[in-house]
Amino acid sequence: MNRLLAAILICGPGMFISCSNNDNVTPAPTPVLESFDASKYALTDLHLHLDGSLSLDDAIHMAAIEGVDIPSGRNEIKKLLVCPDNCESLNDYLKCFDSPVKMMQSRETIAYSVSSLVQRLYAQGLIYAEIRYAPQLHLRKGLTQDEVVAASIEGLKAGLAACSNGIKAQLILCCMRGADNDELNNETIRMAKKYLGQGVCAADLAGAEALFPTSKYRELFAYAKELGVPFTIHAGEADGVESMRLAIEYGAQRIGHGIRSWNDNDMKALLIQKDICLTLCPSSNLQTKAIVDGVANMSLYPLQAFLSAGVPVCINTDNMTVSNTTVAQELQKLYDAGILTAEQAKLMVRNAIRHAFLNEAEKEELLQLAEHRMIFFSKKFVNSHNKLYLCSVFV
C-alpha cells in the first residue's frame, strides 16, 4: 500500500503529516505502516436511523419489555433485523423495520434504544452523530408524539452521560411518506420546533419515495420553514433527480442519499451552487438497488462521480443493523474497492462536520476535537525504534 496514503489515514481528517529524522542521526529502518484503518478517523454519521440500528441484544431486551414474540435463536432473530442478500428494492429493505418498531412502543424502550445506540457509536470512535426516527411510528400503545420525543431526549441524555460526553449527538424527527398521515406529519414538525435545541436538531422526510413522491409534501415543508425548523429530505434514492430538485426548492439543507444524481451534471452543479451535502450510504444504496444502472458491487459505486465534480458528500450507514455495517466499515469497503483515497476520506469527514445541523461555533469546536484526536494518532505513527521523528501537522 502507498505509504503516503497510510500516513495520511493515520493522521486522519483535516490533517497531513510530514516526518523526517535529524540529518545527523542514522535513519532508522522504515517502520511497518498500518493497513487502512478507518477507526482512527474522527468518525461521524449524519444519516442514521434508530429503528434500523438496534443491536441483537437490544432487540432481545426490548422485545421482552414490549411482549413481542421473537424467535429463540439469535440467528433467527438476526434474520428479522438484517437485510437479506436477495433484497430487491427499497420497499423490500423497509420490511426489516417491522419488528424493531414493534419493540419501541413505550417510553422505556424508546429511551433505552437511543441511549444504547449513543454508547455503541462512542465505542466505535464516533465524535458526532445525528440519529433519526419517526415519532408517529411509536404511538401504537397510546403514547403521544410529545411523549415519544421526550423519551428519546431522555435516552439521548443518558447515553451521552454514560460516555462522559465524549461524543456529541442529536436527534432528527422524521415525517413519513404515506397515505392519510398529513396531520401526523404536521405534528412531527411541531415537535421538532418545540424541542429544537434541546436534543432535536432538524426534521426529515423518510419512507417509500417512489410510492409517495416528494411533490406531495410542498405544504409540509412550507410549514417547517414557517416555524423555523431546519430539515433534510430523503430524495434521489428510489426516485429520480426531480425529487431532489423539489427537495432543494422546498429548502432542504441536506439531501439523504441523492445517489440517483451521480450522472446528472445539472443536478451536481446545483448541489455545488447551493452547497447542499448528500449523505451517501453505500451499502444501503446497493441493497435497495438505488443505482438504476444495475450497480451491484462496491467497486462500481459512483462515489468518484461526486468527488471529482466537487459535490459535497459524506459517508454514512443509514441503518447499522439492517445493512450490517458501521461508518468505519463503509469507508473500509470503499477503500478496498479502490474507489476512495485517504485524502478523500478526510475531505468527507470535513464535509460532514461542516454540513451538520450545528451552529458555526459548534462546528469549529467539533473540527478542533477531530484535529486533537488525529494528532494523538499521528504521534503514535511517528515514534518508531525509540527514535523521535520531527512531525509537522497542517490543517
Side-chain angles (χ1 to χ4, degrees), residues 152-322:
S152 69
I153 293 173
E154 176 187 330
L156 180 69
K157 291 178 178 178
L160 295 173
C163 301
S164 301
N165 292 306
I167 179 175
K168 185 174 180 65
Q170 299 190 96
L171 301 168
I172 295 176
L173 306 186
C174 294
C175 301
M176 292 302 297
R177 299 176 188 269
D180 304 320
N181 67 332
D182 290 349
E183 184 49 39
L184 288 170
N185 282 339
N186 287 334
E187 178 68 2
T188 299
I189 297 296
R190 287 191 288 271
M191 290 301 100
K193 173 63 174 178
K194 177 176 180 177
Y195 290 103
L196 196 63
Q198 302 176 55
V200 172
C201 64
D204 182 23
L205 177 65
E209 182 187 9
L211 296 178
F212 301 97
T214 303
S215 57
K216 288 188 56 178
Y217 300 96
R218 182 181 300 274
E219 291 184 5
L220 176 67
F221 288 106
Y223 185 44
K225 290 182 71 173
E226 178 185 336
L227 294 185
V229 175
F231 54 90
T232 178
I233 294 177
H234 281 67
E237 180 187 17
D239 202 358
V241 294
E242 182 58 29
S243 179
M244 298 174 61
R245 204 174 305 279
L246 287 173
I248 294 170
E249 179 186 327
Y250 296 167
Q253 295 182 25
R254 290 200 316 253
I255 288 181
H257 299 293
I259 191 66
R260 294 284 182 98
S261 65
W262 74 271
N263 59 353
D264 190 304
N265 290 333
D266 290 340
M267 175 53 65
K268 288 188 286 188
L270 182 61
L271 293 168
I272 295 168
Q273 176 192 342
K274 299 286 188 179
D275 192 28
I276 293 176
C277 183
L278 302 183
T279 54
L280 301 177
C281 307
S283 289
S284 173
N285 294 156
L286 295 181
Q287 290 166 325
T288 63
K289 308 298 187 290
I291 308 168
V292 292
D293 290 349
V295 172
N297 62 72
M298 198 64 76
S299 65
L300 298 177
Y301 189 77
L303 176 63
Q304 290 299 324
F306 296 110
L307 291 175
S308 62
V311 177
V313 297
C314 61
I315 298 301
N316 312 270
T317 59
D318 199 9
N319 302 282
M320 283 168 48
T321 303
V322 176

Side-chain angles (χ1 to χ4, degrees), residues 24-236:
N24 296 322
V25 178
T26 302
T30 301
V32 177
L33 301 184
E34 298 178 45
S35 61
F36 190 99
D37 185 357
S39 66
K40 289 182 170 55
Y41 278 85
L43 299 169
T44 63
D45 197 338
L46 302 187
H47 195 139
L48 174 62
H49 290 268
L50 174 64
D51 45 0
S53 301
L54 303 183
S55 72
L56 196 59
D57 288 336
D58 286 348
I60 294 169
H61 175 73
M62 293 162 59
I65 293 173
E66 296 287 354
V68 176
D69 290 330
I70 58 174
S72 57
R74 294 177 70 89
N75 287 338
E76 294 304 310
I77 298 172
K78 187 175 180 180
K79 290 178 182 178
L80 295 176
L81 306 177
V82 178
C83 178
D85 293 336
N86 60 350
C87 180
E88 292 296 330
S89 67
L90 175 61
N91 294 336
D92 199 15
Y93 183 87
L94 292 176
K95 293 176 184 177
C96 295
F97 293 84
D98 293 343
S99 293
V101 169
K102 292 177 184 177
M103 302 169 187
M104 302 167 64
Q105 296 297 326
S106 67
R107 292 183 67 111
E108 180 181 358
T109 51
I110 293 165
Y112 179 88
S113 64
V114 176
S115 177
S116 175
L117 179 54
V118 169
Q119 292 176 65
R120 283 184 284 127
L121 295 173
Y122 175 68
Q124 292 171 15
L126 272 71
I127 62 170
Y128 182 69
E130 291 175 359
I131 301 167
R132 61 185 74 192
Y133 73 98
Q136 64 189 262
L137 299 182
H138 306 280
L139 312 180
R140 298 177 186 178
K141 292 186 177 180
L143 291 178
T144 64
Q145 287 200 46
D146 199 325
E147 290 171 329
V148 170
V149 177
S152 69
I153 293 173
E154 176 187 330
L156 180 69
K157 291 178 178 178
L160 295 173
C163 301
S164 301
N165 292 306
I167 179 175
K168 185 174 180 65
Q170 299 190 96
L171 301 168
I172 295 176
L173 306 186
C174 294
C175 301
M176 292 302 297
R177 299 176 188 269
D180 304 320
N181 67 332
D182 290 349
E183 184 49 39
L184 288 170
N185 282 339
N186 287 334
E187 178 68 2
T188 299
I189 297 296
R190 287 191 288 271
M191 290 301 100
K193 173 63 174 178
K194 177 176 180 177
Y195 290 103
L196 196 63
Q198 302 176 55
V200 172
C201 64
D204 182 23
L205 177 65
E209 182 187 9
L211 296 178
F212 301 97
T214 303
S215 57
K216 288 188 56 178
Y217 300 96
R218 182 181 300 274
E219 291 184 5
L220 176 67
F221 288 106
Y223 185 44
K225 290 182 71 173
E226 178 185 336
L227 294 185
V229 175
F231 54 90
T232 178
I233 294 177
H234 281 67

